Amino acid sequence: MSTTGSAQPAPTGSWLDPLAALRSDGGPETDVFLTGTVFLDIVFTGLDHAPVRGTETWARGMGSSPGGVANMATALRRLGLRTALAAAFGDDMYGDYCWEALSGSEGIDLAPSHRAKGWHSPVTVSMAYDGERTMVSHGHAAPKPCVSVASRPRSRACVTSLSPGRVGDWVRQAHSEGSLLFADTGWDETGAWDPDTLADLSLCHAFLPNATEAMHYTRTDSPEAAVRALAELVPVAVVTKGSGGAVAVDGTTGEHADVPALEVDALDPTGAGDVFMAGFTTATLAGWPLADRLAFANLTAALSVQHFGGSLSAPGWSEVAAWWQYARRIGGQSQEVMRRYSFLDDLLPGGSSDWPLRATPTIGFRS
């Protein structure tokens, strides 16, 4: 297994390529580039209650998978986008597993990534019960730099997170190359919600905070007011409302949309925001109308929360097709929902097929 670049070129063998119409335009070979920290996630499932001090608790199930930034990278790749990731990988067996799972099993291009000698992989243990999860993490700061400008591929889009004074030079260079930047932001533990955090929105194409973040930063009292305020700062403003769906304004087209979430039995919300971002980015690059972009992002996030784990639960086109086929044949969805997702009829091919790439949720079965 290579430890300096992708073990193999990122496969393109999805049975549905949402950007097929763009492949002959002479554009970048990579669709999306992103960077961040990869964790090894160990998720225990089937717990009836929280662990009790001084006792041993047995879980009825468990899974292991790359986590952290790997959640979004996996979600993008499973939706058919050619995805490149820059990250440091631990020089240990956990790092071996994460590298092989992302590169070999999921088809993510790791050429911009590197193996850090003597650095162990960050680890998160997640215990899911009562529709929520409790996590314990351990790790040390990743060796710098994680992103090499020389090895970062040109891409149609990049995903980044806004922090005051922390936007890397690679973000500015990607912007100058014409890459569309999709950004979110983290929770401000200081409670200041400094508007200067949003200073780099001028570089971004789309900004996707959650409702609480958006209202704090814009000093507004509703997601709808917040998205209007953000639309003055960025071409595409999206505010996610959890079980309330999402609202957005696209200043490039003049579109406004407010799309409710799908009602599902949520088991684990881990990675739902990453999957929403991946769905919206995919639909945006494909050139869909704003309401369809929001609906698709809501759908992918809804499919993910019905399963445990972050990258483990990211849906591919086979899951999207299975949901739509079930809704059409069996029902269970309102007429409003069926109308909202009718665009899938023209998008999905006939028949069904399994997504050809999928990491095994365990560390190291031996063949």
Side-chain angles (χ1 to χ4, degrees):
M1 181 183 68
S2 169
T3 59
T4 58
S6 182
Q8 57 186 357
T12 58
S14 168
W15 64 284
L16 193 157
D17 181 357
L19 305 188
L22 304 179
R23 298 298 179 201
S24 61
D25 68 356
E29 286 296 315
T30 299
D31 296 324
V32 183
F33 169 82
L34 67 166
T35 184
T37 301
V38 173
F39 288 75
L40 172 73
D41 283 356
I42 302 173
V43 182
F44 289 99
T45 65
L47 294 168
D48 296 322
H49 52 74
V52 178
R53 180 179 178 181
T55 67
E56 180 180 15
T57 300
W58 279 80
R60 289 189 293 274
M62 69 161 289
S64 303
S65 66
V69 70
N71 293 340
M72 190 178 300
T74 300
L76 289 163
R77 185 67 193 105
R78 288 184 181 178
L79 291 175
L81 298 195
R82 298 172 181 177
T83 303
L85 170 65
F89 285 77
D91 186 25
D92 53 15
M93 293 187 69
Y94 288 171
D96 291 345
Y97 163 71
C98 289
W99 186 286
E100 180 56 34
L102 294 175
S103 178
S105 298
E106 299 290 353
I108 296 167
D109 179 11
L110 298 183
S113 295
H114 67 280
R115 299 298 295 270
K117 187 174 182 179
W119 183 66
H120 73 74
S121 301
V123 176
T124 292
V125 175
S126 177
M127 294 160 282
Y129 52 88
D130 295 336
E132 278 293 345
R133 83 277 195 204
T134 297
M135 296 184 292
V136 178
S137 298
H138 172 72
H140 302 282
K144 303 294 184 182
C146 283
V147 180
S148 169
V149 174
S151 61
R152 177 185 59 83
R154 291 187 64 241
S155 58
R156 301 178 191 274
C158 298
V159 177
T160 190
S161 185
L162 297 181
S163 298
R166 293 176 58 186
V167 173
D169 290 339
W170 73 267
V171 174
R172 302 181 188 280
Q173 182 171 340
H175 172 72
S176 69
E177 293 171 352
S179 185
L180 298 181
L181 299 179
F182 293 76
D184 59 13
T185 188
W187 182 261
D188 186 353
E189 295 182 353
T190 70
W193 301 101
D194 186 350
D196 285 347
T197 300
L198 308 184
D200 290 309
L201 278 182
S202 60
L203 301 173
C204 298
H205 175 73
F207 183 45
L208 295 84
N210 64 40
T212 302
E213 295 163 346
M215 290 187 290
H216 277 308
Y217 278 122
T218 59
R219 275 55 171 178
T220 53
D221 58 5
S222 72
E224 292 72 24
V227 79
R228 290 193 296 268
L230 292 172
E232 300 293 325
L233 304 175
V234 66
V236 180
V238 180
V239 174
T240 59
K241 301 186 288 183
S243 60
V247 59
V249 175
D250 188 335
T252 68
T253 63
E255 295 171 282
H256 297 243
D258 191 342
V259 178
L262 286 166
E263 294 185 10
V264 297
D265 293 327
L267 295 180
D268 184 359
T270 303
D274 295 328
V275 172
F276 183 97
M277 173 75 87
F280 189 83
T281 300
T282 300
T284 299
L285 293 180
W288 301 356
L290 182 60
D292 290 352
R293 284 180 264 164
L294 285 187
F296 185 71
N298 281 338
L299 171 59
T300 54
L303 292 175
S304 76
V305 301
Q306 296 179 83
H307 302 279
F308 292 105
S311 62
L312 285 178
S313 66
W317 285 108
S318 57
E319 287 87 356
V320 173
W323 175 83
W324 184 235
Q325 290 168 4
Y326 185 89
R328 292 188 62 192
R329 295 174 182 174
I330 309 300
Q333 301 293 338
S334 68
Q335 291 185 352
E336 179 185 1
V337 169
M338 298 303 292
R339 286 193 299 269
R340 185 182 307 129
Y341 288 94
S342 62
F343 68 90
L344 293 176
D345 281 329
D346 296 328
L347 179 66
L348 298 170
S352 62
S353 175
D354 290 333
W355 175 251
L357 305 170
R358 185 61 62 95
T360 301
T362 189
I363 304 175
F365 277 129
R366 298 189 183 278
S367 58

Short mmCIF file of all heavy atoms in Angstrom, two decimals, residues 211-236:
data_model
loop_
_atom_site.label_atom_id
_atom_site.label_comp_id
_atom_site.label_asym_id
_atom_site.label_seq_id
_atom_site.Cartn_x
_atom_site.Cartn_y
_atom_site.Cartn_z
N ALA A 211 -28.98 27.06 12.09
CA ALA A 211 -29.80 28.21 12.45
C ALA A 211 -29.24 28.97 13.64
O ALA A 211 -29.21 30.21 13.65
CB ALA A 211 -31.23 27.75 12.74
N THR A 212 -28.78 28.25 14.67
CA THR A 212 -28.26 28.91 15.86
C THR A 212 -27.03 29.74 15.52
O THR A 212 -26.91 30.91 15.92
CB THR A 212 -27.91 27.88 16.94
OG1 THR A 212 -29.09 27.13 17.26
CG2 THR A 212 -27.39 28.56 18.19
N GLU A 213 -26.10 29.15 14.75
CA GLU A 213 -24.91 29.88 14.34
C GLU A 213 -25.27 31.10 13.51
O GLU A 213 -24.74 32.20 13.73
CB GLU A 213 -23.99 28.94 13.54
CG GLU A 213 -23.43 27.79 14.36
CD GLU A 213 -22.89 26.67 13.48
OE1 GLU A 213 -23.18 26.66 12.26
OE2 GLU A 213 -22.21 25.78 14.03
N ALA A 214 -26.17 30.91 12.55
CA ALA A 214 -26.53 32.00 11.64
C ALA A 214 -27.18 33.15 12.40
O ALA A 214 -26.87 34.33 12.14
CB ALA A 214 -27.47 31.47 10.56
N MET A 215 -28.09 32.86 13.32
CA MET A 215 -28.76 33.93 14.06
C MET A 215 -27.81 34.66 14.97
O MET A 215 -27.88 35.89 15.13
CB MET A 215 -29.95 33.36 14.84
CG MET A 215 -31.11 32.91 13.96
SD MET A 215 -32.59 32.42 14.87
CE MET A 215 -32.03 30.89 15.62
N HIS A 216 -26.87 33.93 15.60
CA HIS A 216 -25.89 34.58 16.46
C HIS A 216 -25.01 35.54 15.66
O HIS A 216 -24.78 36.68 16.06
CB HIS A 216 -25.02 33.55 17.17
CG HIS A 216 -25.64 32.97 18.40
ND1 HIS A 216 -26.15 33.75 19.42
CD2 HIS A 216 -25.82 31.67 18.80
CE1 HIS A 216 -26.62 32.97 20.39
NE2 HIS A 216 -26.42 31.70 20.03
N TYR A 217 -24.49 35.06 14.53
CA TYR A 217 -23.58 35.89 13.76
C TYR A 217 -24.26 37.11 13.14
O TYR A 217 -23.65 38.17 12.99
CB TYR A 217 -22.91 35.07 12.66
CG TYR A 217 -21.73 34.26 13.13
CD1 TYR A 217 -21.70 32.89 13.00
CD2 TYR A 217 -20.63 34.89 13.72
CE1 TYR A 217 -20.61 32.14 13.45
CE2 TYR A 217 -19.54 34.16 14.17
CZ TYR A 217 -19.53 32.79 14.03
OH TYR A 217 -18.45 32.05 14.48
N THR A 218 -25.53 36.97 12.76
CA THR A 218 -26.22 38.09 12.10
C THR A 218 -27.05 38.92 13.06
O THR A 218 -27.65 39.92 12.64
CB THR A 218 -27.14 37.54 11.00
OG1 THR A 218 -28.11 36.64 11.58
CG2 THR A 218 -26.34 36.82 9.92
N ARG A 219 -27.08 38.53 14.35
CA ARG A 219 -27.88 39.25 15.36
C ARG A 219 -29.34 39.35 14.91
O ARG A 219 -29.98 40.39 15.01
CB ARG A 219 -27.33 40.65 15.58
CG ARG A 219 -26.19 40.79 16.58
CD ARG A 219 -25.01 39.91 16.31
NE ARG A 219 -23.87 40.24 17.19
CZ ARG A 219 -22.73 39.58 17.19
NH1 ARG A 219 -22.55 38.55 16.36
NH2 ARG A 219 -21.76 39.91 18.01
N THR A 220 -29.87 38.24 14.43
CA THR A 220 -31.27 38.18 14.02
C THR A 220 -32.00 37.18 14.91
O THR A 220 -31.39 36.45 15.69
CB THR A 220 -31.41 37.76 12.55
OG1 THR A 220 -30.69 36.53 12.34
CG2 THR A 220 -30.83 38.83 11.62
N ASP A 221 -33.33 37.12 14.78
CA ASP A 221 -34.12 36.28 15.68
C ASP A 221 -34.86 35.16 14.97
O ASP A 221 -35.75 34.54 15.54
CB ASP A 221 -35.11 37.13 16.48
CG ASP A 221 -36.06 37.93 15.58
OD1 ASP A 221 -36.01 37.75 14.35
OD2 ASP A 221 -36.84 38.73 16.13
N SER A 222 -34.52 34.88 13.72
CA SER A 222 -35.15 33.77 13.01
C SER A 222 -34.21 33.30 11.90
O SER A 222 -33.41 34.09 11.38
CB SER A 222 -36.49 34.18 12.41
OG SER A 222 -36.30 35.04 11.29
N PRO A 223 -34.30 32.02 11.52
CA PRO A 223 -33.47 31.54 10.42
C PRO A 223 -33.74 32.29 9.12
O PRO A 223 -32.83 32.53 8.33
CB PRO A 223 -33.87 30.06 10.30
CG PRO A 223 -34.40 29.69 11.64
CD PRO A 223 -35.08 30.92 12.15
N GLU A 224 -35.01 32.67 8.92
CA GLU A 224 -35.37 33.38 7.69
C GLU A 224 -34.71 34.76 7.63
O GLU A 224 -34.20 35.18 6.58
CB GLU A 224 -36.88 33.50 7.59
CG GLU A 224 -37.61 32.19 7.38
CD GLU A 224 -37.63 31.28 8.62
OE1 GLU A 224 -37.50 31.81 9.75
OE2 GLU A 224 -37.78 30.05 8.46
N ALA A 225 -34.71 35.47 8.77
CA ALA A 225 -34.04 36.77 8.82
C ALA A 225 -32.53 36.60 8.67
O ALA A 225 -31.85 37.40 8.01
CB ALA A 225 -34.37 37.49 10.12
N ALA A 226 -32.00 35.53 9.26
CA ALA A 226 -30.56 35.29 9.19
C ALA A 226 -30.11 35.01 7.77
O ALA A 226 -29.08 35.52 7.32
CB ALA A 226 -30.18 34.12 10.10
N VAL A 227 -30.87 34.21 7.04
CA VAL A 227 -30.45 33.87 5.67
C VAL A 227 -30.52 35.10 4.77
O VAL A 227 -29.69 35.27 3.86
CB VAL A 227 -31.28 32.70 5.10
CG1 VAL A 227 -32.65 33.15 4.61
CG2 VAL A 227 -30.52 31.98 3.99
N ARG A 228 -31.48 35.99 5.02
CA ARG A 228 -31.53 37.22 4.24
C ARG A 228 -30.33 38.10 4.52
O ARG A 228 -29.76 38.71 3.61
CB ARG A 228 -32.84 37.98 4.52
CG ARG A 228 -34.08 37.30 3.98
CD ARG A 228 -35.27 38.24 4.02
NE ARG A 228 -35.63 38.61 5.39
CZ ARG A 228 -36.52 37.95 6.12
NH1 ARG A 228 -37.12 36.86 5.63
NH2 ARG A 228 -36.82 38.34 7.35
N ALA A 229 -29.91 38.16 5.78
CA ALA A 229 -28.74 38.95 6.13
C ALA A 229 -27.47 38.36 5.52
O ALA A 229 -26.61 39.08 5.00
CB ALA A 229 -28.61 39.04 7.65
N LEU A 230 -27.34 37.04 5.57
CA LEU A 230 -26.16 36.39 5.00
C LEU A 230 -26.11 36.53 3.49
O LEU A 230 -25.03 36.56 2.90
CB LEU A 230 -26.14 34.91 5.39
CG LEU A 230 -25.90 34.62 6.87
CD1 LEU A 230 -26.10 33.13 7.16
CD2 LEU A 230 -24.49 35.06 7.29
N ALA A 231 -27.29 36.60 2.86
CA ALA A 231 -27.33 36.75 1.39
C ALA A 231 -26.74 38.06 0.93
O ALA A 231 -26.42 38.22 -0.26
CB ALA A 231 -28.77 36.61 0.90
N GLU A 232 -26.58 39.01 1.86
CA GLU A 232 -25.91 40.26 1.52
C GLU A 232 -24.39 40.09 1.49
O GLU A 232 -23.68 40.97 1.00
CB GLU A 232 -26.27 41.35 2.55
CG GLU A 232 -27.75 41.65 2.65
CD GLU A 232 -28.28 42.30 1.37
OE1 GLU A 232 -27.53 43.08 0.76
OE2 GLU A 232 -29.43 42.02 1.01
N LEU A 233 -23.89 38.95 2.02
CA LEU A 233 -22.45 38.75 2.16
C LEU A 233 -21.89 37.67 1.25
O LEU A 233 -20.68 37.63 1.03
CB LEU A 233 -22.14 38.38 3.62
CG LEU A 233 -22.62 39.34 4.71
CD1 LEU A 233 -22.33 38.76 6.09
CD2 LEU A 233 -21.96 40.71 4.54
N VAL A 234 -22.74 36.77 0.76
CA VAL A 234 -22.27 35.61 0.00
C VAL A 234 -23.29 35.29 -1.09
O VAL A 234 -24.50 35.51 -0.89
CB VAL A 234 -22.07 34.41 0.96
CG1 VAL A 234 -23.38 33.93 1.54
CG2 VAL A 234 -21.33 33.27 0.29
N PRO A 235 -22.87 34.82 -2.26
CA PRO A 235 -23.81 34.55 -3.35
C PRO A 235 -24.93 33.58 -2.98
O PRO A 235 -26.09 33.80 -3.32
CB PRO A 235 -22.91 33.99 -4.46
CG PRO A 235 -21.58 34.63 -4.21
CD PRO A 235 -21.46 34.70 -2.71
N VAL A 236 -24.58 32.48 -2.29
CA VAL A 236 -25.59 31.49 -1.91
C VAL A 236 -25.55 31.31 -0.40
O VAL A 236 -24.53 30.87 0.15
CB VAL A 236 -25.36 30.14 -2.61
CG1 VAL A 236 -26.42 29.13 -2.20
CG2 VAL A 236 -25.34 30.31 -4.13
#
